[in-house]
Structure formats: structure tokens, C-alpha cells
Amino acid sequence: MTNSKRYLCISRLRAESPFMIGNGEDTYSDKDLLVDHKGEVFIPGTSLAGVCRAYLESKWPQDKVDKIFGSGKVGKISSLDKQSKVIFYDSFLIWDSKRRIRDSVSLTNKVAEDNHKFDFEIVEAGAEFAFRIEFRIDDDKDEEQLVNDCIQTLVNGFNQGEIRIGGKTNRGYGYFKLIFSDKKEGLQRRKFNLKKIEATKPKKNKSKNKQGKKSSSTRPDDNELKDYIFVHSQWADFRLWKDTKKLEKFKQGWTTFEPQNKPNKSLYSHTLQLKSFLFIRDYGIQQSKGQAEITAGPLKNGRGQVVIPGTSWAGVFRQQMKRIVDSLDVAVLFFIFPEFCSNDDKFDSDGFIRQLFGFVDKASKAAQASQIAFRESVFNEKEIAEIVRTRTAVDRFTGGASNGLLFSNMLAYRKGNKTTCQLEIQLANPLIFNGNAVDSNQKKFISSLLESCIQDLEEGYLAIGGQTAVGGGMFEKGGSNG
């Protein structure tokens, strides 16, 4: 019987970083969050299906993905249509987190472009959602194995940070993990056999001695069907997710899929020690300290921790990589990336950087996602001292102090001998330039370019944030690399 079995998978989807899923409105910011009829954030099943399919397509052959997700018409040929075997349900909120509005600007040489400031609404890390997907499969061992492989691959993808949800996912947003208990990662799966059986109906007569006869109509086994309906109804009950004991009892006997801890060779993780102070501006701060009116302070997350967003890291690394490439011998670059070299012995560094960091060309309607992702870096609040600094504005024409123009900012200073954060950068795997995967030499060049920028940062040649001209945003190597 076709699609006679159901594999139901449930877990909690926990936000490990801020995330944003826009609704196309601009009531509270330039980009508002998608919410349901109760005003609560949720993750649509369409978004989950899209990112999961895209991830599998980067890991599996297309025909293998189509066996799970289906395929549409090819021209007028409809005989190749295949219905999807997986259902992604909307993930509803079970543990809320703070919502904030963040500012962003487009930068050129660390200078904000005119009329390019915008803000957007985010949900801070810590929010949790009820996650549910369902597979409909035939009574086929090969198909069951394919589904199990799919589940394991998706668990690995989420928990290794390769599957991300929402906008700005290459700039530190949209990282999630699947967790089925407070201390264990992954999800749980239960199989339901809904194969139809022949039903038995009694004859329509008054004789008690007459036995029933088999009917031509069929229905699923009552016990399996009842369990299947019960599990679905319980999953949608918000109270279940708040009752730990009831939840654990509910999930007894399910098959567990935990992430396989394979080393991620495309992830660069470095511990950085702050040298002096950091100033990533948050203009939403309005407070007084003594006689000083604070006009801006360090950017923080919902837990009150000072952060460096992925957008800031991306801007600094993009500019530094271009500087390095522009200083290299064109002959060397021609050997590695001949497609970016012209006949007059010039290397198109702008084109190279666009391919690496992504671009959108509205004129030609061409676009490419960034091949390099920067996670948000977080400082322990106990390791940071916040100090108000009052300065005199400088007249950009004379270079002298502007008469009567004072401003006060709250800066995040190093406190003690340990004020560290983790820099995490992930390269796409495979790396795609102009629609094609880069070769081994090109990948080595990009990796060495990235490592050179990290070394410049650790040695104090590269700074991040505001007031870098007076010692702000400088780091040194802190501890061992991850």
C-alpha cells in the first residue's frame, strides 16, 4: 500500500544566535518580524522546507533529494512529477526571547554611505520552537534507509551551523540547534504503520448466530491510528512543552538521532583577547550618568552581553582582504584565478571580493550568496567594564576642536586579564565562484587569505568598530584556537 508508514520526528528548535524572518512590513522598523495572529514569532514550514532542501542538494545527488522532496514538471512532461514525501509543519514558539531593533549601514572604506542606513527587527538568541516533520513512505527497506539518512543529515546540518534560517544568515544570524532534552542535542522519531486492513461488518439481519463478513472497504489499524492522532494532538499542546516530566514520558520509546561530531574543516574558530576598549555603537541607548548624557553605547544582546555582530566582522574582513589582494603580484594571481585577470595585466580584485562576499546586481538581475559566514561574537558580561568617555567633536576642515561640541559615549573596556570573545568564520563547502566550484589551489588561496586577516587581527594591525584611531577595537591572540 502506497505511503502506508509515517515517520514522525519531533524536537525543540533553539536559536543559538539572533534571527530575523521578515513579513514585508515596516511598522516598527524597516524590516519587521513575521508573527502569527497572536503576535508571536513563528517559523513557517515553507522556510524550513526551503533551507533543508537546499542543504541536502549541497550534499546529495539531485535524484536522491527528489526522492524525498519530490520534483515538478519538466516542460510539458508531467509523467516525471513526484509528490514530496516529507511535510514540514510551522514551528510555534514555546520559549520566548527578547525582540530588539538593530541598526545597519552600508560601508565603503569603513565610511557610511549616504542614505544607506536602515534598521530591522530581530529575535535574540534563546528562543525555542516546537519542531515537527513527517515522512510518508512505502513499505520499502531502501526507502526507510533513505529517510533515516535524511533525518541524520538534517540533524548534523542544524547542529554544525550549516543550516541557517531567515535573513543575514552569512552575517551571524539564523543559527539554530535541534535539542530533544535540556542536555541532549538531536531529535526523536517514531514510526507508525498505517497500512490499511480489511474491515469486518456484521450482516444486516437479526440472527445472533450469523458471523460478520469481510467488507471491500478498508481502514487503518485502530490502535496505530489512535496513537498517530494522539501524538499529533499532544505535540500541538503548548502545555506539553512546559511540563518536563510529561514531555519525557510522552517521548519514551522513540528512536533518537543525535548529531555526529564530525570535524568541520570549513570552520575557523579563534579566541581573541581585547587589548583596550570596544565601541560597536548602539544608538538606542538613552541614559544619563552624572552630568553626561549618553548618546551611544556598546551593542548588546538580550542577555546584556556586549557583542560584535557578524555584519561588523564582514565589513572589516572584506576591506582587509581587498587590501591584501591588491598588494599581491599579478603573475601569481593569474596562475590561481585567471578568470579575474585582464589582458593589460590587472587583477579584478573588486570582482573577486564580490564573488567571495556575495552581491546583488539589480541591473543585470544577477546575484550570489556570500561564500563566507561570520558568527556573532559575545563577551562575558563579568569580563567587561563600561566606562563613559566624553570627547570634543573635531572640525573636519580645520582638524581642531569644534567649539562647544561635546559628546559622551559608553565604551566597553577590558577588565582584568581575561576579556575574550570567540571569532568564528565558516567558508561555504563547496566554494562557488561564477556558478562553478573552485579547485583545490583556489580554495587554499582563499583559506590563506582568511588566515592572514585573522593574524593581522591577532597582531593588532586590524581593528574593528568605532574610535579605532585612538586605540579602540584592537585585539591580540587569546588562548588556544578552537
Side-chain angles (χ1 to χ4, degrees):
M1 182 64 65
T2 303
N3 297 150
S4 59
K5 293 182 181 180
R6 300 290 190 273
Y7 274 10
L8 187 61
C9 305
I10 63 172
S11 186
R12 286 184 287 170
L13 193 60
R14 184 177 64 196
E16 296 293 306
S17 71
F19 71 93
M20 53 175 294
I21 300 176
N23 65 0
E25 302 293 333
D26 56 2
T27 303
Y28 307 105
S29 68
D30 293 322
K31 295 181 181 180
D32 293 347
L33 287 167
L34 180 66
V35 296
D36 60 18
H37 66 285
K38 296 184 291 185
E40 293 184 343
V41 178
F42 75 102
I43 303 175
T46 50
S47 297
L48 292 169
V51 296
C52 289
R53 176 165 190 157
Y55 178 70
L56 285 174
E57 287 176 339
S58 71
K59 301 294 182 182
W60 289 4
Q62 187 63 50
D63 60 338
K64 189 176 178 181
V65 177
D66 289 343
K67 289 180 181 179
I68 296 290
F69 284 86
S71 59
K73 293 181 180 180
V74 180
K76 296 182 179 180
I77 302 175
S78 60
S79 60
L80 299 178
D81 286 2
K82 293 181 181 179
Q83 186 178 6
S84 174
K85 293 182 179 294
V86 59
I87 302 172
F88 286 84
Y89 294 87
D90 290 349
S91 290
F92 61 85
L93 189 67
I94 56 177
W95 191 265
D96 206 353
S97 185
K98 291 184 179 180
R99 302 183 203 177
R100 293 171 62 89
I101 293 178
R102 286 195 178 180
D103 292 317
S104 186
V105 294
S106 298
L107 300 177
T108 299
N109 298 328
K110 293 191 70 176
V111 177
E113 296 181 14
D114 291 339
N115 301 319
H116 277 253
K117 182 180 180 298
F118 60 94
D119 56 23
F120 51 93
E121 200 176 6
I122 65 164
V123 178
E124 292 284 5
E128 291 185 6
F129 299 83
F131 178 83
R132 173 177 58 160
I133 58 176
E134 181 179 355
F135 294 88
R136 302 175 298 180
I137 62 175
D138 301 329
D139 192 7
D140 185 308
K141 289 185 178 180
D142 291 338
E143 193 166 273
E144 287 189 30
Q145 184 60 50
L146 178 64
V147 168
N148 286 333
D149 291 344
C150 176
I151 295 171
Q152 185 64 66
T153 303
L154 293 179
V155 169
N156 294 343
F158 271 112
N159 291 53
Q160 291 178 359
E162 295 180 333
I163 300 179
R164 302 186 285 274
I165 304 170
K168 294 184 176 294
T169 54
N170 288 320
R171 299 297 178 258
Y173 295 86
Y175 286 83
F176 286 82
K177 279 188 177 181
L178 291 169
I179 57 172
F180 61 86
S181 71
D182 292 336
K183 296 182 179 180
K184 293 185 178 180
E185 298 179 4
L187 58 71
Q188 292 181 292
R189 186 219 71 196
R190 181 173 173 181
K191 180 168 68 174
F192 297 90
N193 188 354
L194 302 185
K195 185 175 182 180
K196 292 183 177 180
I197 60 174
E198 290 185 344
T200 301
K201 291 183 178 179
K203 284 185 177 181
K204 293 182 178 180
N205 57 46
K206 297 181 180 180
S207 174
K208 296 183 179 179
N209 296 325
K210 298 289 184 179
Q211 293 182 351
K213 69 174 183 178
K214 289 185 178 179
S215 168
S216 58
S217 63
T218 60
R219 57 179 173 76
D221 178 79
D222 282 343
N223 292 331
E224 285 286 293
L225 183 59
K226 286 179 181 178
D227 284 348
Y228 175 75
I229 295 173
F230 172 76
V231 169
H232 271 288
S233 64
Q234 286 291 297
W235 176 89
D237 187 348
F238 178 80
R239 294 169 296 180
L240 172 69
W241 298 92
K242 294 294 184 180
D243 189 333
T244 304
K245 292 183 179 179
K246 186 177 180 181
L247 183 62
E248 291 303 317
K249 184 178 180 180
F250 170 72
K251 295 191 293 184
Q252 285 180 359
W254 292 53
T255 301
T256 299
F257 286 79
E258 297 184 59
Q260 298 170 338
N261 295 321
K262 295 181 179 179
N264 191 339
K265 296 181 180 179
S266 62
L267 179 65
Y268 297 78
S269 183
H270 291 256
T271 303
L272 298 176
Q273 170 72 46
L274 183 64
K275 275 189 174 183
S276 55
F277 69 90
L278 178 71
F279 189 41
I280 307 290
R281 292 175 179 86
D282 182 359
Y283 292 103
I285 293 178
Q286 293 182 354
Q287 66 182 76
S288 300
K289 194 166 185 179
Q291 295 182 344
E293 292 291 332
I294 310 301
T295 57
L299 183 64
K300 295 181 180 180
N301 60 19
R303 300 171 184 170
Q305 298 167 311
V306 173
V307 299
I308 304 176
T311 49
S312 295
W313 283 126
V316 169
F317 272 73
R318 179 177 186 139
Q319 189 61 30
Q320 185 69 359
M321 283 186 175
K322 187 176 185 307
R323 287 196 193 107
I324 295 174
V325 170
D326 286 339
S327 68
L328 296 177
D329 189 347
V330 176
V332 175
L333 295 172
F334 180 82
F335 177 76
I336 303 173
F337 282 103
E339 62 268 34
F340 293 105
C341 294
S342 60
N343 293 329
D344 53 355
D345 294 332
K346 290 184 179 180
F347 185 78
D348 182 12
S349 59
D350 289 327
F352 171 80
I353 292 297
R354 278 161 53 89
Q355 288 292 321
L356 184 57
F357 282 82
F359 67 92
V360 175
D361 190 333
K362 294 182 180 179
S364 63
K365 297 183 179 180
Q368 175 167 300
S370 176
Q371 301 295 293
I372 182 169
F374 296 84
R375 297 195 186 186
E376 186 160 288
S377 299
V378 181
F379 290 89
N380 187 327
E381 62 271 26
K382 295 180 181 179
E383 299 177 358
I384 288 288
E386 295 186 55
I387 300 175
V388 176
R389 173 183 280 184
T390 301
R391 301 184 65 197
T392 303
V394 176
D395 189 312
R396 62 188 302 180
F397 298 105
T398 66
S402 296
N403 187 27
L405 294 182
L406 296 176
F407 62 94
S408 298
N409 293 326
M410 183 84 75
L411 308 180
Y413 273 83
R414 173 175 176 168
K415 184 178 180 180
N417 296 322
K418 184 182 179 183
T419 304
T420 60
C421 69
Q422 202 71 15
L423 171 63
E424 294 184 317
I425 306 171
Q426 191 167 346
L427 288 176
N429 187 21
L431 278 164
I432 304 294
F433 273 30
N434 294 314
N436 300 310
V438 302
D439 61 32
S440 58
N441 287 331
Q442 292 171 334
K443 187 173 182 179
K444 287 179 182 178
F445 174 80
I446 294 170
S447 296
S448 64
L449 189 61
L450 180 59
E451 289 167 354
S452 295
C453 290
I454 295 173
Q455 187 175 359
D456 287 344
L457 188 67
E458 292 176 334
E459 294 180 357
Y461 298 122
L462 187 61
I464 186 170
Q467 302 190 19
T468 55
V470 291
M474 297 184 67
F475 288 86
E476 60 189 355
K477 191 173 182 180
S480 58
N481 296 341

